Amino acid sequence: MAAPVVVYPPSATGGRRVRAGDEILGLAYSLRDLTDFLRRAGLEGIGPDEVAASTMIEWRGGGPGVWGPAGTGTA
């Protein structure tokens, strides 16, 4: 997977939309969800710690520690 990954701000329901290039990978509710999406998209062997530190991911509306409904902070 060569396309940069964008993780959008949390929605009102707490999910963060995940996009790689022009493809929406899904709605992640945790770093584990995001890691699973990236594995299915071709990044085999990657773990949550590597995902959190990756420079390939553009975090919008908070970094890898921000989950939960919009405006609630971290989860």
Side-chain angles (χ1 to χ4, degrees):
M1 180 174 58
V5 175
V6 178
V7 179
Y8 290 89
S11 68
T13 62
R16 296 182 76 169
R17 186 168 39 118
V18 180
R19 178 176 54 85
D22 293 332
E23 181 181 356
I24 300 296
L25 300 180
L27 197 61
Y29 288 88
S30 66
L31 193 55
R32 182 178 302 259
D33 287 347
L34 175 57
T35 302
D36 288 342
F37 292 158
L38 296 178
R39 285 180 183 151
R40 283 186 249 143
L43 288 176
E44 295 296 324
I46 193 167
D49 290 338
E50 290 124 341
V51 170
S54 176
T55 58
M56 193 173 106
I57 298 173
E58 178 185 338
W59 296 91
R60 297 184 183 175
V66 177
W67 302 94
T72 62
T74 61

